[in-house]
Amino acid sequence: ALGTDHKTIRISTNYKIESNDPKVDDQAETILFNTLKKANLVTQKDVKAFKNPDIRTGGSIVTSTKVGPSIAKDITYGAIISVLIALVAIFIYILIRFHNLAFSVGSTVALAVDTVFVLGIYSLCWGWMPFSLEIDQTFIGALLTVIGYSKVVVFDRIRENLGLHPKAELQSLFNDSINQTLARTINTSLSTLIVLLCILFLGGESIRSFAFAMSLGVVIGTLSSIFVASPIAFRVMGR
């Protein structure tokens, strides 16, 4: 449902999505009209009136858009490229900031894990959540935002402790650094999550898929900061 009156709904279908036949639009709209008519959800007398956006009484199509197969492939290609570029950019940024390849690898692997988990849960939930979970530009924006949720706080403390305690046993140093930043990591993520949950449950229908993807990303990103990024960095250092 779109809007506050819950009388305008968005219907998305992949009916003959690979076809470039101009008649497919009419076929889909006719099927839609017949089905809604049978369910007593529209009272228009015929398909022509149902397709006319100026005749609102009785239910009609307000607007319709079609994503052709070539455009769909372009969006998919663009999404994959943008995610890969973001991961490479984060890798280079961490490398320049910390001058340590292990931190770059740990951060990139953790962000890749975040991406896969969010995409996987999003896909598993498709079809039974009470809002749209289309893989569209909104979702890609959320995914790129999640990728930007980097692991710098933990790495900063590890680097600081490496300078303060150069002779310390590395595993204990990593463990202590994670524990020292644990409260800050959880509190930061929790404050972000509270806002996202407010948007998810109280916000408009059009933004809920974004808030859902972001909420998943914050939770998974927090876990990967603790359980993936630093352990991977520790392993890459050869320990």
Side-chain angles (χ1 to χ4, degrees):
L2 303 175
T4 55
D5 62 355
H6 296 288
K7 293 181 179 179
T8 302
I9 61 172
R10 177 191 177 202
I11 298 174
S12 178
T13 177
N14 60 0
Y15 177 75
K16 293 188 178 181
I17 194 169
E18 296 294 334
S19 175
N20 286 310
D21 188 345
K23 296 179 181 179
V24 170
D25 290 11
D26 289 333
Q27 294 173 10
E29 290 169 352
T30 301
I31 293 171
L32 183 62
F33 170 73
N34 292 333
T35 307
L36 294 173
K37 183 81 170 179
K38 186 178 180 180
N40 296 318
L41 294 174
V42 297
T43 58
Q44 295 287 10
K45 59 182 180 179
D46 54 33
V47 179
K48 185 178 179 180
F50 176 69
K51 294 179 181 180
N52 190 341
D54 296 326
I55 306 175
R56 297 294 181 87
T57 305
S60 65
I61 295 176
V62 178
T63 182
S64 65
T65 56
K66 179 182 177 181
V67 178
S70 59
I71 297 175
K73 289 176 182 177
D74 287 344
I75 293 174
T76 303
Y77 178 77
I80 294 171
I81 294 300
S82 62
V83 169
L84 292 176
I85 289 174
L87 289 173
V88 171
I90 293 291
F91 179 91
I92 295 172
Y93 165 70
I94 297 294
L95 184 62
I96 293 173
R97 175 163 180 171
F98 292 98
H99 304 288
N100 193 314
L101 184 64
F103 288 161
S104 285
V105 173
S107 180
T108 305
V109 170
L111 293 174
V113 168
D114 297 348
T115 304
V116 172
F117 263 90
V118 172
L119 185 60
I121 295 173
Y122 211 81
S123 301
L124 286 172
C125 291
W126 187 87
W128 57 270
M129 293 296 285
F131 48 85
S132 172
L133 289 181
E134 296 289 332
I135 304 296
D136 54 13
Q137 300 287 27
T138 302
F139 173 77
I140 301 304
L143 206 59
L144 291 173
T145 307
V146 168
I147 290 175
Y149 210 77
S150 63
K151 323 298 176 187
V152 172
V153 173
V154 180
F155 288 157
D156 259 336
R157 183 54 57 91
I158 293 172
R159 181 177 62 175
E160 181 182 335
N161 285 337
L162 283 171
L164 293 173
H165 312 287
K167 296 182 180 180
E169 202 275 320
L170 199 61
Q171 183 172 343
S172 297
L173 188 144
F174 266 71
N175 191 59
D176 291 342
S177 300
I178 293 172
N179 283 323
Q180 289 165 11
T181 56
L182 191 60
R184 179 179 176 182
T185 300
I186 293 174
N187 289 336
T188 302
S189 300
L190 190 61
S191 61
T192 307
L193 187 62
I194 290 171
V195 177
L196 290 170
L197 291 177
C198 288
I199 296 173
L200 178 61
F201 292 109
L202 303 176
E205 298 291 339
S206 59
I207 199 70
R208 282 189 175 178
S209 61
F210 177 85
F212 180 66
M214 280 295 299
S215 298
L216 292 175
V218 168
V219 173
I220 296 165
T222 303
L223 294 174
S224 67
S225 296
I226 301 167
F227 298 112
V228 178
S230 299
I232 289 292
F234 177 78
R235 291 293 182 186
V236 172
M237 284 183 177
R239 307 300 197 274

